[in-house]
Amino acid sequence: MMIQENINLKPYTTFGINAIASGFATFSSVDELIKLIKTTDKGLLILGGGSNLLLTKNIDAFVLKNEIKGIDIVSKSDDEIILKVGGGENWHDFVMFCVENEYYGVENMSLIPGSVGASPMQNIGAYGVEIKDVFESLEALEIETGEIRMFTNEECSFGYRESVFKRALKGKYIITSVTFKLSLLKSLNTKYGAIDSELANKGILNPSIKDVSNAVIAIRQSKLPDPKVLGNAGSFFKNPVVPISIHQTLLSSYPSAPSYPVNDGFVKIPAGWLIETAGWKGKRIGDCGVHVNQALVLVNYGTATGQEVFDLSIALIQDVKNKFGIELEREVNII
Ligand code: FAD
Ligand code: EPU
């Protein structure tokens, strides 16, 4: 249990931005976590893979990086398996474990960076699947009492890139493990996005779980920048959910404006389309910019500061609001 002081968090976040934390330690068990919390009266910042964070300043807080490992089988029947996974496991490694063992349910979420412990925070999702679809429960340490509490799917109040941990319980719990329910019966979802066409291009008619995972990985690699090469945190904004009438108004000026049905008269408009149509795709200001292949991703070309990336996000929000009357909401956590 080594506590470090004044450590640069640049290598710990995928944006790769300099920010000094006054305290830093890793924990690989709940006991270690409890002991670490007792050593400080500073605020805490819990870190997984740092892939959904923008640090805009130095941080006078105790940064605790989750390294609790382990994938345990809780139960197995003829048709499903329940797995309890340590919050510090890498998400993609966990997905690969499921793909290799033919546990169905998370393959469409291949290659999402970050930790298993952060996955419920914003109910991660991709290609038509969200973790709420395979989520059984989680365990979290209540910071104030030091007690472990279990949360069911319902108690997490999952929504599109939302959970109770981003709202009412923000900053109150540290997720230590997540339990998933996966199918042992072949069940694949290839209808969303370009998965079907990616499989067809490869001549695959009856895909395996591995084929679907590989297709998702190929699609993602074709548009999303690799954080090891170009700093970023994935989609910087959420796709706005608006009443259908707003989309209909948009169509009168932009007949090809895309939208996806949500429910009850609402549609999702791709924020990437709004940002691209506003003329920002590929724009670079100093060392930060809007990615050339995916306008929803803001990037750090090397020496951008967190404040510069944040300022760019303000400019994008204002311009999209002026041009389309639609307010973008950040997805990335700003510190
Ligand atoms: P971090 O960035 O370390 O933390 C995120 C937030 O959760 C912070 O507020 C942190 O304090 C808090 N936190 C972290 N761990 C815990 C814990 N154990 N307990 C309590 N609080 C915690 N997301 C998607 O949903 N879908 C995608 O397709 C997707 N694609 C991406 C592609 C790229 C290239 C990148 C860089 C990011 C992408 N993301 C995507 C965003 C990101 O991968 C997810 O949000 C991921 O779950 C973040 O995990 P993390 O461990 O890196 O979290
Ligand atoms: N688009 C553009 N220009 C762009 C980018 C997108 O016009 O530069 C439009 C196109 O119409 C395209 C549509 O947006 O068809 C959707 O684009 P894409 O399939 O790339 O997905 P996205 O909506 O930009 C969302 C998630 C991703 C997730 C993918 C696949 C959000 C905020 N983002 O992106 O999640 O991987 O769908 O399911 O919902 C993340 O959360 O960090 C993330 C990467």
Side-chain angles (χ1 to χ4, degrees), residues 51 64 307 326-327:
S51 64
L64 294 172
Q307 190 58 48
I326 294 174
E327 184 105 29

Side-chain angles (χ1 to χ4, degrees), residues 3-316:
I3 299 174
Q4 292 170 272
E5 285 176 6
N6 299 323
I7 174 172
N8 191 343
L9 294 178
K10 181 172 175 167
Y12 296 101
T13 72
T14 58
F15 250 124
I17 278 171
N18 289 309
I20 308 296
S22 54
F24 178 91
T26 61
F27 60 94
S28 42
S29 69
V30 173
D31 284 349
E32 235 174 52
L33 173 60
I34 291 171
K35 281 186 194 139
L36 282 167
I37 291 177
K38 283 186 181 153
T39 64
T40 186
D41 46 18
K42 281 194 171 144
L44 303 178
L45 171 64
I46 311 308
L47 197 62
S51 64
N52 207 22
L53 270 183
L54 177 67
L55 303 174
T56 58
K57 53 180 186 276
N58 292 338
I59 296 154
D60 186 21
F62 194 19
V63 177
L64 294 172
K65 184 170 173 348
N66 190 344
E67 292 190 347
I68 299 178
K69 302 283 189 211
I71 303 180
D72 297 320
I73 297 179
V74 177
S75 66
K76 194 173 179 181
S77 67
D78 287 345
D79 53 4
E80 66 184 30
I81 185 161
I82 309 272
L83 296 174
K84 182 175 176 180
V85 187
E89 284 286 346
N90 174 274
W91 172 264
H92 178 67
D93 291 350
F94 165 60
V95 173
M96 289 299 100
F97 170 85
C98 296
V99 168
E100 295 310 326
N101 287 287
E102 299 187 22
Y103 301 153
Y104 294 85
V106 285
E107 57 282 354
N108 289 27
M109 294 185 282
S110 298
L111 213 63
I112 297 182
S115 61
V116 166
S119 65
M121 294 296 296
Q122 68 159 9
N123 178 28
I124 58 167
Y127 297 94
V129 180
E130 295 177 328
I131 79 146
K132 72 166 171 42
D133 304 323
V134 289
F135 178 96
E136 181 70 6
S137 64
L138 63 74
E139 284 180 356
L141 182 90
E142 188 175 19
I143 294 170
E144 200 177 312
T145 61
E147 305 214 323
I148 291 282
R149 176 180 158 189
M150 202 265 275
F151 287 80
T152 63
N153 196 318
E154 210 173 35
E155 286 168 334
C156 291
S157 302
F158 290 125
Y160 166 57
R161 299 294 189 273
E162 278 298 343
S163 77
V164 71
F165 303 103
K166 278 182 84 175
R167 299 280 167 191
L169 300 183
K170 190 177 163 82
K172 296 199 182 308
Y173 284 88
I174 301 170
I175 298 169
T176 52
S177 71
V178 186
T179 299
F180 298 93
K181 188 201 277 187
L182 300 163
S183 176
L184 297 173
L185 307 177
K186 187 171 180 182
S187 130
L188 296 168
N189 172 355
T190 61
K191 295 289 161 240
Y192 187 94
I195 302 181
D196 261 344
S197 51
E198 180 70 27
L199 291 168
N201 286 344
K202 290 198 175 129
I204 299 169
L205 297 174
N206 182 19
S208 65
I209 186 170
K210 184 84 182 152
D211 292 329
V212 172
S213 168
N214 284 340
V216 168
I217 290 172
I219 300 165
R220 293 179 67 95
Q221 285 175 333
S222 72
K223 44 182 149 181
L224 290 167
D226 177 354
K228 289 195 190 95
V229 180
L230 193 57
N232 76 93
S235 302
F236 200 89
F237 303 98
K238 293 183 187 182
N239 286 324
V241 175
V242 300
I244 286 179
S245 57
I246 302 231
H247 181 244
Q248 279 161 350
T249 310
L250 206 56
L251 284 177
S252 55
S253 309
Y254 304 90
S256 60
S259 74
Y260 305 96
V262 181
N263 53 30
D264 300 337
F266 284 83
V267 290
K268 218 182 239 182
I269 299 188
W273 180 86
L274 293 166
I275 296 168
E276 178 173 352
T277 308
W280 288 90
K281 192 168 181 172
K283 272 213 173 153
R284 176 170 175 168
I285 299 171
D287 245 3
C288 67
V290 177
H291 187 46
V292 283
N293 295 334
Q294 226 302 358
L296 195 43
V297 179
L298 302 192
V299 294
N300 169 18
Y301 287 100
T303 61
T305 64
Q307 190 58 48
E308 283 165 349
V309 177
F310 187 72
D311 289 345
L312 174 60
S313 77
I314 294 176
L316 292 174

